[in-house]
Amino acid sequence: MIYTDKTIDLINAAEDLIRSLAQSETGQAYRCAKQAQQESVEAQSFIRDFHQVKEDYELVQRFGRYHPDYQTITKKVHEVKRRLDLQEEVAQFKKAEKQLETLLGQISLKLAGEVSPQIKVPTGNPFFDQGCAGGCSTGGSCSCSG
């Protein structure tokens, strides 16, 4: 690729956007929640427990319901996962992660839409993936009917 002045300007603008995201409330909340989860002895213990049970589950899954411990391990995975999801720092981290993911998806959608409305952006959100960033429920003001 040959770098032109416009290419360099785009790269600089992307770096500015990165700094803005990092300094945003959403970006800071994500980093704080991640650090809190990493520093939480309880969260780390729950995460280790989950990984161990997950390994056991993956071994049992090779044989499926015919494995003698299938029911026991499956039940244990669900219990440990629920306990992990309800742990305060883990729950806060997941919430912050989802908010950051949503923001990044919206930005990606706007960037792609400026180039062409036909570009599909994998946002993890089926509503955004369709390229319908608003107006579908208002009766035809979007271009996603096709």
Side-chain angles (χ1 to χ4, degrees):
M1 178 175 175
I2 298 173
Y3 284 90
T4 64
D5 289 341
K6 288 188 180 204
T7 305
I8 292 170
D9 289 344
L10 281 171
I11 292 169
N12 289 336
E15 289 171 355
D16 290 343
L17 178 60
I18 291 165
R19 278 191 290 280
S20 294
L21 282 169
Q23 294 171 359
S24 72
E25 187 176 318
T26 305
Q28 289 177 355
Y30 172 80
R31 281 196 313 282
C32 288
K34 183 177 181 179
Q35 183 176 357
Q37 177 182 288
Q38 290 172 337
E39 292 175 355
S40 169
V41 173
E42 183 182 42
Q44 292 307 307
S45 175
F46 283 8
I47 290 169
R48 277 191 303 278
D49 290 349
F50 176 72
H51 285 294
Q52 180 59 51
V53 172
K54 184 178 165 200
E55 285 178 26
D56 295 344
Y57 179 75
E58 288 169 356
L59 288 173
V60 167
Q61 279 298 88
R62 292 191 304 181
F63 299 100
R65 63 181 178 200
Y66 300 108
H67 192 284
D69 295 331
Y70 177 79
Q71 293 294 332
T72 306
I73 296 295
T74 300
K75 183 178 178 182
K76 189 170 184 178
V77 164
H78 291 289
E79 290 170 357
V80 172
K81 176 74 167 113
R82 177 165 171 71
R83 218 175 61 204
L84 176 64
D85 289 343
L86 293 176
Q87 200 280 333
E88 182 66 28
E89 287 82 9
V90 172
Q92 290 299 321
F93 173 71
K94 285 186 174 198
K95 180 180 176 185
E97 185 177 48
K98 184 65 179 167
Q99 289 173 338
L100 181 60
E101 185 180 293
T102 299
L103 177 60
L104 291 171
Q106 291 171 342
I107 290 169
S108 297
L109 189 62
K110 283 184 173 274
L111 290 171
E114 286 299 314
V115 175
S116 170
Q118 282 74 38
I119 294 175
K120 293 187 180 181
V121 178
T123 62
N125 182 333
F127 179 72
F128 288 131
D129 287 346
Q130 296 299 318
C132 302
C136 289
S137 65
T138 62
S141 64
C142 77
S143 60
C144 58
S145 59

